[in-house]
C-alpha cells in the first residue's frame, strides 16, 4: 500500500489480528522501535496507528515506558475496529452474541420509531433493500445479499430519527458483515428471515409501529440465536 493512511490502517488491522489471536496480551509493553520492526512500517505510521489505538482505549503510550496493551475491558467495545478484530479471533461467537443482545434492545424500538418518523426516501430504500434480499437470498448470492441487508438495517436505524440509534449503524454493519465473512451464514438465508424484512418495510411504510417493532424483534432474535453457542 502506498499511502500513509493505507499503511496505518494496514498496521491497525495487523495489530487487531495479533490482539484477537493472543499474540499481544494485556500488560505487554512495546517500544516504538519494536513496533516498527514487528509491522514493517515507518515511525510516522506507527505513531499514527498508536494514536488511534489510544483513542480506542487499547493502549497507553508513555514517554520512556513505551506502548502498553490495556485490559480488554477498557477497550471501546462499540468501535467497529474492535468488533471486526474480535470477530476474526477465538471470541467470535461471544462477540456476535453480545452484539445480538445489543441489537435486540435497540432495533425493535428503532423500527417502531421509523414507522412514525421515516421520510419517503427512507421508506422506499427499505422496500428496495428487502426486495433485493429476496432476489439474492433465493439465488444464494450472499455477497450481494449482505449489501442489501446492511442497507436495510442502517437505513432503519437512521429512519428512527434518533441520532444515538443511527450512530450504531457501523457496528451493526460490521456484525452483519462478520457473519458472512466468517462463513456463519447458511448457504441460503432462511426464507422466514427474508419475509420478515419485507414485513418490516411494509409496516414502516404503512406507519404500523407495533407490527414493525414485533417483526424486527423476530429478525434480530433469529440472527442472535443462529450464532449463540448455548
Amino acid at each position: 500500500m502506498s499511502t500513509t493512511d493505507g499503511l496505518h490502517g494496514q498496521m491497525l488491522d495487523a495489530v487487531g489480528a495479533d490482539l484477537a489471536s493472543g499474540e499481544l496480551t494485556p500488560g505487554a509493553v512495546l517500544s516504538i522501535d519494536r513496533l516498527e520492526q514487528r509491522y514493517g512500517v515507518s515511525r510516522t505510521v506507527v505513531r499514527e496507528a498508536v494514536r488511534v489505538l489510544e483513542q480506542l482505549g487499547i493502549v497507553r503510550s508513555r514517554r520512556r515506558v513505551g506502548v502498553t496493551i490495556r485490559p480488554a475491558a477498557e477497550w471501546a467495545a462499540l468501535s467497529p475496529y474492535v468488533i471486526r478484530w474480535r470477530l476474526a479471533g477465538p471470541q467470535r461467537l461471544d462477540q456476535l452474541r453480545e452484539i445480538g443482545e445489543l441489537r435486540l434492545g435497540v432495533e425493535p424500538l428503532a423500527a417502531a420509531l421509523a414507522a412514525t418518523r421515516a421520510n419517503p426516501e427512507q421508506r422506499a430504500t427499505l422496500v428496495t433493500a428487502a426486495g433485493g434480499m429476496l432476489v439474492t437470498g433465493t439465488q444464494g448470492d450472499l455477497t450481494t445479499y449482505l449489501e442489501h441487508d446492511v442497507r436495510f438495517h442502517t437505513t432503519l436505524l437512521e429512519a428512527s430519527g434518533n441520532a444515538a440509534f443511527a450512530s450504531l449503524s457501523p457496528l451493526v454493519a460490521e456484525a452483519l458483515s462478520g457473519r458472512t465473512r466468517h462463513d456463519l451464514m447458511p448457504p441460503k438465508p432462511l426464507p422466514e428471515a427474508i419475509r420478515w424484512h419485507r414485513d418490516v418495510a411494509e409496516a414502516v411504510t404503512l406507519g404500523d409501529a407495533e407490527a414493525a417493532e414485533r417483526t424486527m424483534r423476530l429478525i434480530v432474535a433469529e440472527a442472535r440465536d443462529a450464532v449463540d453457542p448455548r
Side-chain angles (χ1 to χ4, degrees), residues 19 22 28 40 45 63-64 105 122 127 133 143 158 183 186 204 217:
L19 290 167
V45 172
R63 191 185 299 268
R64 293 191 294 275
Q122 289 167 333
V127 171
M133 291 174 71
T143 299
E158 292 165 1
D183 298 321
V204 170
R217 191 172 300 280

Side-chain angles (χ1 to χ4, degrees), residues 110 113-130 151-162 166 169 200-202 204-205:
L113 292 173
T116 61
R117 298 176 179 175
N119 61 42
E121 181 180 356
Q122 289 167 333
R123 293 190 181 101
T125 298
L126 289 172
V127 171
T128 300
R151 186 174 300 113
F152 182 95
H153 288 273
T154 56
T155 299
L156 186 79
L157 289 166
E158 292 165 1
S160 72
N162 183 306
S169 293
V200 169
E202 181 178 348
V204 170
T205 300

Side-chain angles (χ1 to χ4, degrees), residues 73-92:
E74 298 178 9
W75 301 356
L78 299 184
S79 163
Y81 274 121
V82 174
I83 291 168
R84 185 186 318 141
W85 297 338
R86 289 191 72 198
L87 288 176
Q91 295 178 312
R92 180 178 304 148

Side-chain angles (χ1 to χ4, degrees), residues 18-39:
D18 286 345
L19 290 167
S21 68
E23 287 290 322
L24 291 177
T25 57
V29 181
L30 301 169
S31 66
I32 296 296
D33 289 341
R34 186 176 173 189
L35 288 168
E36 285 184 68
Q37 296 170 4
R38 183 183 184 98
Y39 297 106

